[in-house]
Amino acid sequence: MTTNWTTFRELLLPEHQRRRGVEAELRRAVRDGRLLPGTRLPSSRDLAAQLGVARGTVTSAYTQLVAEGYLTTRRGSGTTVASLGPAGACGVPEPPQRWRYNLRPGLPALGAFPRADWVAAHRAALAELPDDDLAYPDPAGFLGLRKEIVDYLSRVRAVVAKDAVITNGAADGLQLTARIVNGSIAIEEPSHFGGENMLRSHGLVTVPVPVDDKGIRVDLLSKTDCKAVLVTAAHQFPLGMVLHPERRRALVEWARERDALIIEDDYDAEHRYDRPALGALQALAPEHVVYQGTTSKVLAPALRLGWLVVPERLREGIVQRKQYNDMGTGTIPQAALAHLLRTGGYDRHLRRTRALYRKRRDALLEAVAEHLPAWQPIGVAAGLHVVLRMPDGTDDLALKSRLAERGVHVWALAQYTRTPMWPGLVLGYAALTPDRLREAVREIADVAVA
């Protein structure tokens, strides 16, 4: 399918011939139907020549619109208009509307996915894979990937492990773990309702335990009858604090005294900017911690690849449940990830995206300081999102609704709380360029003060 680029070129006035002008007009052309699903766009070099802009201007626009879901790109097939709208975080589809600014937390920069490296890893893995490995997979996971994951976690997160269990993402890992927990389980307050709903679906009673600036209140946890707890120790979600060393020791002591289980969700610990790396909680008590990780925040949620490191006494039961559930995770993508880890591609991608996300975070914070000086950024040292504490008395849910009417997608802090607390917005910044983030903050400020 082709389109009349002379008409489109005429829409870009000289004063708009900047990267965000190309990006905005492409986005508008998709929205109003001038660029239909399946339309193949010119190469970045060709379009740049037609519009009289730098090639990097078009490349940047294409990358951003791929990340937002307006365009798709495949090696050898060029860039085309997507058939479906952008998808939401954590596997939850977005409403059918297209957001002008999608700041929902939970997504990495999908346009930065290392497609060429992933294709090369698949080819190499298939070339090396014995025929026998194309049979039904080992429910514990492909042995080659398990070895690479153990090496990676030991090197990067100080995890103490001899083996791992490969899962279909973090959700699969959590539901496998939920089946070995009885009665009630403590969760952080605030926290993501997705994890709580998963636990409840397995018949567990969830008990919210407040967090403060040092993390979960272990003193209050000790007053419950729970023998399990789900924590985000390295980067609490959504508030972003690190579990304080004193709290880490207290939590481990609680687990040992009660023979309890700590489920450590290490969902985005690799993304840190202003603080040194902190080892996983699991290293302090491997016999009491189920460690959970995933590729969703480093590569992409679509891969559905995650892992568990479990106490040895629980491993056989979890592997057996994995076999009953789905006969194991697909071998070929596991082999590809193993190749990416073994050859350093995973680390290189992480270094690139860490620098990318830091620039985006800094742009967001600079814009907040300029346009919303009374709002306090929280949890800025790591991760892919930031919480903006709003002035007391502000209705964050009402502001979220007003922003949605303007095409700005954010989450209110109230969407993660079970008891009232201060108002705030939870903004994901990984998927938007610095210019788009600045524009989004200006839009938020316009609506907030209106």
Side-chain angles (χ1 to χ4, degrees), residues 60 212 232 314 316 410 425:
S60 180
D212 60 18
T232 49
L314 302 176
E316 182 178 352
V410 301
L425 295 184

PDB file of all heavy atoms in Angstrom, residues 60 212 232 314 316 410 425:
ATOM      1  N   SER A  60      14.382   9.157  14.348  1.00  0.00           N
ATOM      2  CA  SER A  60      13.896   9.358  15.711  1.00  0.00           C
ATOM      3  C   SER A  60      12.370   9.321  15.769  1.00  0.00           C
ATOM      4  O   SER A  60      11.786   8.742  16.685  1.00  0.00           O
ATOM      5  CB  SER A  60      14.412  10.693  16.252  1.00  0.00           C
ATOM      6  OG  SER A  60      13.952  10.908  17.558  1.00  0.00           O
ATOM      7  N   ASP A 212       7.109   2.771  54.549  1.00  0.00           N
ATOM      8  CA  ASP A 212       7.505   4.155  54.779  1.00  0.00           C
ATOM      9  C   ASP A 212       8.774   4.407  53.979  1.00  0.00           C
ATOM     10  O   ASP A 212       9.074   3.662  53.038  1.00  0.00           O
ATOM     11  CB  ASP A 212       7.663   4.458  56.271  1.00  0.00           C
ATOM     12  CG  ASP A 212       8.716   3.579  56.954  1.00  0.00           C
ATOM     13  OD1 ASP A 212       9.560   2.987  56.239  1.00  0.00           O
ATOM     14  OD2 ASP A 212       8.708   3.487  58.195  1.00  0.00           O
ATOM     15  N   THR A 232       8.975  -5.857  47.035  1.00  0.00           N
ATOM     16  CA  THR A 232       9.815  -5.327  45.957  1.00  0.00           C
ATOM     17  C   THR A 232      10.968  -4.582  46.634  1.00  0.00           C
ATOM     18  O   THR A 232      10.967  -3.358  46.718  1.00  0.00           O
ATOM     19  CB  THR A 232       8.998  -4.402  45.034  1.00  0.00           C
ATOM     20  OG1 THR A 232       8.261  -3.449  45.829  1.00  0.00           O
ATOM     21  CG2 THR A 232       8.014  -5.198  44.202  1.00  0.00           C
ATOM     22  N   LEU A 314      11.795 -26.517  48.090  1.00  0.00           N
ATOM     23  CA  LEU A 314      10.561 -26.204  47.375  1.00  0.00           C
ATOM     24  C   LEU A 314      10.674 -26.463  45.864  1.00  0.00           C
ATOM     25  O   LEU A 314       9.666 -26.440  45.162  1.00  0.00           O
ATOM     26  CB  LEU A 314      10.180 -24.730  47.582  1.00  0.00           C
ATOM     27  CG  LEU A 314       9.990 -24.284  49.031  1.00  0.00           C
ATOM     28  CD1 LEU A 314       9.723 -22.786  49.082  1.00  0.00           C
ATOM     29  CD2 LEU A 314       8.848 -25.055  49.683  1.00  0.00           C
ATOM     30  N   GLU A 316      11.339 -29.045  43.807  1.00  0.00           N
ATOM     31  CA  GLU A 316      10.673 -30.169  43.149  1.00  0.00           C
ATOM     32  C   GLU A 316       9.175 -29.909  43.003  1.00  0.00           C
ATOM     33  O   GLU A 316       8.584 -30.171  41.947  1.00  0.00           O
ATOM     34  CB  GLU A 316      10.908 -31.459  43.933  1.00  0.00           C
ATOM     35  CG  GLU A 316      10.287 -32.688  43.273  1.00  0.00           C
ATOM     36  CD  GLU A 316      10.566 -33.976  44.040  1.00  0.00           C
ATOM     37  OE1 GLU A 316      11.366 -33.942  45.001  1.00  0.00           O
ATOM     38  OE2 GLU A 316       9.963 -35.011  43.682  1.00  0.00           O
ATOM     39  N   VAL A 410      -2.060   8.728  32.351  1.00  0.00           N
ATOM     40  CA  VAL A 410      -1.254   8.582  33.565  1.00  0.00           C
ATOM     41  C   VAL A 410      -2.021   7.691  34.532  1.00  0.00           C
ATOM     42  O   VAL A 410      -3.211   7.426  34.347  1.00  0.00           O
ATOM     43  CB  VAL A 410      -0.975   9.947  34.223  1.00  0.00           C
ATOM     44  CG1 VAL A 410      -0.249  10.878  33.267  1.00  0.00           C
ATOM     45  CG2 VAL A 410      -2.282  10.600  34.709  1.00  0.00           C
ATOM     46  N   LEU A 425       0.722  11.261  41.136  1.00  0.00           N
ATOM     47  CA  LEU A 425       0.658  10.621  39.830  1.00  0.00           C
ATOM     48  C   LEU A 425       1.861   9.704  39.681  1.00  0.00           C
ATOM     49  O   LEU A 425       2.965  10.027  40.111  1.00  0.00           O
ATOM     50  CB  LEU A 425       0.676  11.663  38.703  1.00  0.00           C
ATOM     51  CG  LEU A 425      -0.517  12.616  38.600  1.00  0.00           C
ATOM     52  CD1 LEU A 425      -0.364  13.510  37.373  1.00  0.00           C
ATOM     53  CD2 LEU A 425      -1.841  11.856  38.539  1.00  0.00           C
TER      54      LEU A 425
END
